[in-house]
DNA sequence: GATCTTTTTTGGACCGATCCAATTTTTTTC
DNA sequence: GAAAAAAATTGGATCGGTCCAAAAAAGATC
């Protein structure tokens, strides 16, 4: 397989000149240039090998998204919330003409198969971080990287959506509609069966999956406290995002709630559907509010009131930070409450 | 910034030994290994630079999807049909633990910014090819690559969905339901205003956007011919996939059709909606059939009968071919007719 | 046409590793 | 304890280029 040096030899010029023909064509006189080009054609040489060039250049023109620890490429793309995030990143890539790579963290991967350790990119974006050690490989590579919705200290760039504000707005919205009897559907991030939390016991610790979930829980707590409700008295279920029973569980656990606060969109949609299956009208008999806005939320019937956690903007901002490089920066994005049809005034008993 | 050689020096061993510590740890005795590891820690050396290692290894453990010529990364991901394809590719990546890169073909891109020419990947998958020259950069790089739904000759691996069979099944389905008066909504792939094709004129050439569209047209032609219908007598509109007026246009152009054959899902859904807006019941008054099965088709009301063009399988197959390497292969995937609610028996006048 | 500029071209060093044959060290065998 | 076998270590070559200062060629000036 022809190399630059072969082309140079064939054309009777030095490597440098041949190199220039491909990189700074107008630095070499037409006559020589043509000779080199002819030689290249002759030998089927398609231009400098990107791999080799890389060694010196140091830039690849690509960034990587690292999916959460337990997700592969397809899991990331299938997840409606994450796929919005990916979309945001991809927009930023298009802005600067960069390529986008998805690099799952394969913990066991040795040698070339170890994701982050070997990915040939200019920087990383972490889709979700649960432990600091997950970002260690990126730190060691000394490439720019950004974490999302996670506090990794002042020295690591981050983009965060103010989950507290979002969840607070959601709870406040329901309170303003007159609701006083709630149910909370929270996340369980450790694999396992859903948990129903007994009413009346403090449970800050158990209620917490990720830090971001804790923030939401705090927001609920604070908003409810303002109208004299102790969150510990609010029935709560904690379940995985994909747990199909969770909707029924929270409806069972909070039988006389007039409103459900869900930390997940998909679960919120499931609650709407399950409530209707049980003969309760939404929002007349029950208001439901979710967190995150995906296409399915709008299609829900009635359309779901939810918090837009600005996934696209978050992705775009994160990618821009990586492209910009420079000293660590921290961006905070304000979520937006999207009021649709699944919430309404509390029915007076 | 520390290099392998610095670590070696600091530990008082040769480069080779240091290299082995990171690549074949059990080939070097514990004593030395520890010394090297200590030195590495001391110097903040995180292991061999992937870029440099690449030069020798030749493998990156990543493949690239090249979006159609006019699409960037985000356009690809936003497109519901293509995103299924991407999903299929991503599944194959997960199977072998590879990374997935999206590399738009930036025609003007010089140097590091030229997509395919510089992407550091092991192979390419072309999402859609319209001209042979689009795949030229990949060919020159001598990396394995696969084209999809395009015939680039026997020497270039391809995965194709039998569009003829799919479209034929669609037309046959309507014919079997008793329909005899049709309208056809076809693709316009060159930018421009939608075209209404006059009835009674031969139009094979004009009807054709991509080869794949031509196949569908041929299939319609053949299926209709079997019941004595000349396709040239069937009203036809040709429009871009995103043209919002197309649905109205075909309904206007084929006012007494009882069934519409659409080459696009999104357009088919639009037709269903537009027909209902005009007071026609689907499928009682009008049957509509699409091509490609995306989530939105199922949510359509009534759910859309359409051809599942097996986008996921197509992507998976293409990626597997790239990973497998070896001599060119050609796979053909059979589409499936998905019968839902938007088609029904022709109403007897 | 000789001298001074400017433009081209060139060879050496380097980018950061891996590979392999040869050498050195350690272990085994008798 | 010497010889043979096995294991560990090493230096040189290589992967395929780019960069830069110096040399050569071309062009300008008088």
């Amino acid at each position: 397989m022809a190399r630059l040096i072969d082309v140079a030899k064939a054309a009777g010029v030095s490597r440098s000149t041949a190199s220039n023909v491909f990189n700074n064509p107008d630095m070499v006189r037409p006559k020589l240039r043509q000779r080199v080009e002819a030689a290249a054609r002759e030998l089927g040489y398609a231009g400098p090998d990107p791999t080799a060039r890389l060694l010196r250049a140091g830039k690849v023109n690509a960034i990587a998204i690292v999916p959460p620890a337990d997700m592969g490429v397809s899991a990331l793309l299938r997840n409606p919330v994450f796929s919005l995030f990916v979309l945001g990143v991809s927009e930023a890539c298009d802005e600067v003409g960069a390529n986008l790579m998805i690099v799952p963290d394969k913990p066991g991967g040795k040698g070339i198969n170890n994701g982050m350790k070997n990915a040939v990119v200019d920087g990383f974006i972490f889709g979700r971080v649960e432990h600091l050690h997950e970002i260690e490989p990126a730190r060691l590579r000394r490439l720019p990287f950004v974490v999302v919705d996670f506090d990794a200290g002042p020295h690591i760039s981050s983009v965060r959506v103010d989950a507290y504000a979002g969840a607070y707005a959601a709870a406040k919205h329901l309170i303003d509609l007159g609701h006083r009897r709630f149910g909370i559907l929270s996340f369980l991030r450790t694999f396992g069966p859903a948990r129903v939390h007994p009413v009346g016991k403090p449970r800050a610790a158990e209620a917490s999956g990720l830090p971001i979930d804790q923030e939401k829980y705090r927001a609920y707590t604070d908003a409810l406290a303002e109208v004299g409700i102790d969150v510990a008295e609010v029935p709560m279920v904690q379940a995985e995002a994909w747990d199909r029973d969770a909707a029924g569980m929270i409806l069972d656990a909070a039988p006389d709630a007039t409103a459900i606060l869900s930390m997940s969109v998909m679960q919120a949609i499931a609650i709407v559907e399950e409530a209707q299956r049980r003969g309760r009208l939404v929002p007349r008999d029950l208001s439901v509010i979710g967190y995150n806005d995906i296409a399915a939320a709008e299609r829900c019937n009635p359309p779901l009131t939810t918090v837009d956690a600005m996934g696209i903007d978050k992705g775009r901002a994160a990618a821009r930070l990586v492209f910009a490089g420079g000293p660590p920066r921290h961006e905070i994005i304000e979520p937006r409450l999207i009021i649709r049809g699944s919430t309404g005034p509390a029915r007076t008993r």
Side-chain angles (χ1 to χ4, degrees), chain A residues 3-181:
Chain A
R3 299 161 307 168
L4 182 62
I5 194 172
D6 302 320
V7 174
K9 244 175 234 162
V13 300
S14 71
R15 304 182 321 276
S16 311
T17 301
S19 174
N20 281 332
V21 168
F22 294 99
N23 296 302
N24 310 61
D26 29 44
M27 184 184 266
V28 34
R29 267 176 314 172
K31 200 166 151 187
L32 272 195
R33 189 189 331 156
Q34 279 153 27
R35 226 162 71 206
V36 171
E37 280 164 352
R41 218 169 307 122
E42 191 85 10
L43 295 169
Y45 180 78
D49 180 289
T51 305
R53 156 185 280 170
L54 216 55
L55 198 46
R56 208 158 243 289
K59 269 244 166 197
V60 208
N61 198 38
I63 59 172
I65 294 182
V66 183
D70 51 336
M71 284 193 189
V73 186
S74 63
L76 182 82
L77 295 177
R78 270 183 201 281
N79 182 304
V81 174
F82 275 113
S83 68
L84 286 181
F85 177 71
V86 174
L87 210 50
V89 175
S90 74
E91 284 177 9
C93 286
D94 287 336
E95 284 170 6
V96 301
N99 302 326
L100 172 60
M101 190 155 174
I102 299 175
V103 178
D105 181 16
K106 300 177 278 289
K110 265 290 165 195
I112 209 169
N113 266 304
N114 181 306
M116 263 175 285
K117 214 160 169 179
N118 287 291
V120 183
V121 293
D122 300 325
F124 295 95
I125 296 176
F126 287 87
R128 179 168 73 204
V129 179
E130 299 194 21
H131 304 294
L132 261 175
H133 69 79
E134 292 171 19
I135 61 174
E136 199 50 20
R139 225 177 47 73
L140 284 172
R141 293 234 358 223
R142 318 226 172 165
L143 290 176
F145 67 100
V146 173
V147 300
V148 158
D149 287 337
F150 185 78
D151 181 9
H155 300 306
I156 292 176
S157 287
S158 69
V159 174
R160 317 182 62 178
V161 172
D162 189 345
Y164 181 94
Y168 184 88
K172 194 74 170 52
H173 169 63
L174 292 175
I175 288 169
D176 289 348
L177 286 169
H179 294 276
R180 290 299 179 273
R181 296 195 310 281

Side-chain angles (χ1 to χ4, degrees), chain A residues 256-279:
Chain A
D256 47 31
T258 63
I260 306 285
L261 285 157
S262 168
M263 291 193 188
S264 143
V265 230
M266 293 309 284
Q267 294 288 24
I269 294 170
I271 294 168
V272 169
E273 288 168 354
E274 178 63 19
Q276 288 168 340
R277 199 171 302 124
R278 296 181 177 197

